[in-house]
Amino acid sequence: MIGAIIDQLREALETWNEKLAEIWVLLTQSPSEFKGGHIWSVIEDVHGALTAIGLSLLVLFFVIGMVQTCLSYQEVKRPEQAVKLFLRFVISRAIVVYGLDIMLKIYEIVQGMLSAVIAKVGLTPANNILLPDEVITAIEDCGFFESIALYALSLIGGLFITVIAFVIILTVYGRFFKLFLYTAVSPVPLSTSASEKTQHIAVSFIKSYTGVCLEGLIVMLSCVIYTAFATSPPGVNSSASGMVWVYLGELIFNMLILVGIVKASDHTVKEMMGL
């Protein structure tokens, strides 16, 4: 019975550690390297196909913007107005054509911030959460009736930890796939920069994409704070079973907080920076 309790808790923590290590890989990996780059090649094909459509829309938005800005053909012929329209068209076209490079550069900047955090705190996949020796000793010191209650507790607690681990990894995967979606469709919203009346759509798109990139930084900082909490010594309790209850309670509570912060990382970025 005692061995089964310890094994159940260790297996649950191993699942949690595996998912945290997977999160670490996702946050430090470039989208072009994900799954060997196969998905990225598909995204590039879609992006290339939509670039042609984006350039067509760019001309349309430019003409609409020119008509709305200039009241007559004579205004278009004015040198300063003609130069302004020409520069807007050239810059907008460059944004659409080189939009993929711009987005990758934004991602690299955010990844640089994330790498700085990792280097400072020394976070690696090897930072596993292990069952403390104090808790193992407390479990081994339990009597027969206490061990029955702890077995049920370990079963329920292990199930909770496993479910939480899968919820958090699904959330991080969702953020990663949003990067693919933004990259694939970028030529269409970026083409709206050709018109002064619609350029707010392109600005909003870039801000939203930057927010998705910054979500990775929020997730990484959340994992750093969680690791500091999880590696702290378990609370001292008068009874052996009480220590196990306190340890599991604090562990699951901290995991729930981490999942909540990770799931709300997009809202956190919006509140911090208005993105």
Side-chain angles (χ1 to χ4, degrees):
M1 181 75 74
I2 298 298
I5 296 172
I6 297 174
D7 289 341
Q8 284 178 354
L9 293 177
R10 281 177 172 168
E11 287 176 5
L13 290 178
E14 284 177 8
T15 301
W16 176 262
N17 291 329
E18 289 175 3
K19 299 308 174 186
L20 280 188
E22 196 171 347
I23 289 173
W24 189 90
V25 172
L26 287 174
L27 293 178
T28 56
Q29 189 178 49
S30 171
S32 60
E33 300 171 352
F34 183 69
K35 299 295 183 181
H38 174 69
I39 299 177
W40 184 252
S41 63
V42 175
I43 296 301
E44 286 183 322
D45 292 339
V46 175
H47 181 274
L50 291 180
T51 298
I53 298 174
L55 290 174
S56 301
L57 290 173
L58 183 144
V59 175
L60 177 62
F61 285 123
F62 176 76
V63 172
I64 294 174
M66 184 177 65
V67 171
Q68 292 177 336
T69 303
C70 302
L71 299 177
S72 66
Y73 178 70
Q74 296 299 322
E75 286 192 39
V76 180
K77 293 173 65 176
R78 290 167 53 192
E80 63 274 15
Q81 188 67 29
V83 171
K84 179 181 177 182
L85 291 172
F86 175 74
L87 287 177
R88 172 175 285 276
F89 182 82
V90 171
I91 293 173
S92 300
R93 188 180 187 282
I95 289 175
V96 173
V97 174
Y98 300 104
L100 182 60
D101 296 326
I102 294 172
M103 296 177 74
L104 286 176
K105 185 58 65 176
I106 294 173
Y107 183 81
E108 289 175 7
I109 293 172
V110 176
Q111 287 301 103
M113 299 166 60
L114 197 146
S115 298
V117 172
I118 294 174
K120 187 66 176 178
V121 300
L123 186 66
T124 67
N127 295 124
N128 291 334
I129 307 301
L130 303 176
L131 192 64
D133 294 334
E134 297 93 331
V135 175
I136 295 176
T137 303
I139 294 174
E140 291 174 344
D141 291 341
C142 288
F144 176 74
F145 292 105
E146 284 183 321
S147 65
I148 296 176
L150 287 181
Y151 181 80
L153 176 64
S154 65
L155 192 63
I156 297 172
L159 179 61
F160 261 97
I161 293 172
T162 302
V163 171
I164 293 172
F166 278 97
V167 169
I168 194 171
I169 193 63
L170 286 175
T171 303
V172 176
Y173 264 105
R175 175 256 177 188
F176 206 74
F177 274 87
K178 279 196 289 185
L179 293 174
F180 289 131
L181 293 175
Y182 272 81
T183 304
V185 304
S186 60
V188 175
L190 291 179
S191 66
T192 60
S193 61
S195 172
E196 196 171 334
K197 300 294 184 180
T198 58
Q199 64 182 6
H200 66 279
I201 299 176
V203 173
S204 177
F205 176 80
I206 292 295
K207 289 171 63 177
S208 182
Y209 174 77
T210 304
V212 174
C213 293
L214 286 172
E215 287 177 25
L217 182 61
I218 298 298
V219 172
M220 178 59 72
L221 290 173
S222 302
C223 291
V224 169
I225 296 171
Y226 165 77
T227 302
F229 271 105
T231 54
S232 59
V236 178
N237 198 285
S238 56
S239 65
S241 60
M243 179 183 290
V244 180
W245 279 87
V246 170
Y247 172 74
L248 276 179
E250 290 181 352
L251 185 66
I252 294 175
F253 179 75
N254 291 332
M255 287 179 177
L256 289 173
I257 293 177
L258 176 61
V259 171
I261 295 175
V262 170
K263 290 184 71 66
S265 57
D266 54 340
H267 298 292
T268 304
V269 172
K270 290 178 181 177
E271 291 175 358
M272 284 183 175
M273 304 183 181
L275 298 175

